[in-house]
Amino acid sequence: MPIDNELYDRLGGSWWDEDNPLNLLHGSLTPARMDYFRTVLRHRLGGGPARLKALDIGCGAGLLAEEFARLGCEVTGVDPSGPALAAARRHAAEGGLDIHYLAGSGEELPLDDRSFDVVLCCDVLEHVADLPRVIAETARVMKPGGLYLFDTVNRTAASWLLAIKILQDWPQTRIIDAQLHSWYMFIKPRELAYLLQRSGLQPGGLAGLAPRANPLAALSALRSARRGAISYGELGRRLDFGQVRTTALSYMGYAVRGS
């Protein structure tokens, strides 16, 4: 079955609502990603990212775009979903954040060559129709020496069990009645490294990303969310996504664009 990417149009308008299944991405995933990305930014930039131009590819309702704006970046977000972009603009305005949002896809970014110091792409690569083209477009809009920050899902037995069977297929624990992912579109680190290098992006490091909650407690929380006993935002917090030693489920990383 094909991935149902249209759910981002159906649910994107209320992405920031704790009862929206998409808010699961915010509960603990946003803090986990930002902890790692801030470490990379300190290591690679020294003085920090203030006043740098940052691009969020597949920004959704702006969960990470807002975090980078608070770091002092000049942020642009690109996404194909009109409802998600409307929610992103509304939420940024409510928070007093100046973020430029544009409609577009990762395969054809509506942006100039060599225009961004930092590009981030999270929960996106495993959804796109043409991954090599998305990576090539990413490299095109990056300045020489620019940083690419990403995360995606590994194609392993662990990701098949958790991301496909538990979170998607099993009626008692699935997040939503839709095809969120295809296991065959998950990406092994060596495959992504090859595509990055082919587009002039040098891989710099990887870190595992996974729930750190006790497995039985995690299953209980998933069932509670499915029954409506807790919000999806609370589910995200209970799953306690964070940096782990293994990349078997999913992974975060960075790459640097050459000259």
Side-chain angles (χ1 to χ4, degrees):
M1 293 177 62
I3 291 178
D4 182 10
N5 282 327
E6 292 181 1
L7 73 91
Y8 298 102
D9 285 337
R10 297 196 302 273
L11 301 178
S14 59
W15 199 316
W16 289 94
D17 186 336
E18 286 246 325
D19 290 322
N20 187 325
L22 296 177
N23 195 268
L24 171 65
L25 296 174
H26 194 45
S28 57
L29 273 166
T30 294
R33 290 161 169 162
M34 289 307 300
D35 283 348
Y36 175 74
F37 291 156
R38 278 192 292 266
T39 298
V40 172
L41 289 167
R42 284 194 299 268
H43 173 66
R44 298 297 309 189
L45 302 178
R51 295 181 297 280
L52 294 182
K53 295 187 67 176
L55 170 65
D56 186 357
I57 299 174
C59 62
L63 304 181
L64 287 173
E66 292 198 3
E67 297 292 330
F68 275 77
R70 292 189 184 96
L71 292 178
C73 294
E74 180 184 331
V75 181
T76 297
V78 173
D79 199 275
S81 171
L85 288 174
R89 294 185 181 105
R90 183 170 60 251
H91 198 267
E94 290 170 355
L97 297 173
D98 184 14
I99 301 173
H100 182 46
Y101 287 111
L102 293 170
S105 71
E107 289 89 350
E108 193 169 351
L109 294 169
L111 299 161
D112 294 333
D113 296 356
R114 300 189 172 202
S115 50
F116 291 94
D117 304 286
V118 178
V119 175
L120 54 145
C121 188
C122 294
D123 192 42
V124 171
L125 299 176
E126 67 274 15
H127 291 273
V128 300
D130 191 339
L131 179 60
R133 186 171 178 182
V134 170
I135 299 298
E137 274 289 275
T138 298
R140 178 184 66 79
V141 302
M142 292 176 64
K143 295 179 181 179
L147 273 178
Y148 179 50
L149 306 171
F150 61 86
D151 74 22
T152 192
V153 187
N154 203 346
R155 193 172 67 256
T156 62
S159 67
W160 175 84
L161 177 60
L162 181 59
I164 301 299
K165 303 310 294 182
I166 294 177
L167 296 183
Q168 181 168 287
D169 290 352
W170 293 349
Q172 297 88 350
T173 57
R174 63 187 175 202
I175 301 301
I176 190 173
D177 297 329
Q179 184 87 356
L180 292 170
H181 293 112
S182 166
W183 186 79
Y184 298 99
M185 294 177 71
F186 293 166
I187 309 159
K188 290 184 176 292
R190 67 174 180 270
E191 297 167 347
L192 183 55
Y194 169 76
L195 292 174
L196 292 171
Q197 291 171 324
R198 195 173 74 171
S199 292
L201 299 173
Q202 183 58 42
L206 291 179
L209 176 65
R212 296 176 296 188
N214 174 280
L216 292 178
L219 285 172
S220 176
L222 284 164
R223 295 184 67 180
S224 294
R226 183 66 179 170
R227 296 195 309 268
I230 64 171
S231 70
Y232 284 97
E234 176 61 19
L235 172 62
R237 290 185 286 275
R238 293 191 187 186
L239 291 178
D240 187 28
F241 275 87
Q243 187 170 333
V244 296
R245 300 179 75 174
T246 176
T247 60
L249 178 60
S250 61
Y251 55 95
M252 308 174 281
Y254 74 95
V256 179
R257 187 185 177 207
S259 58

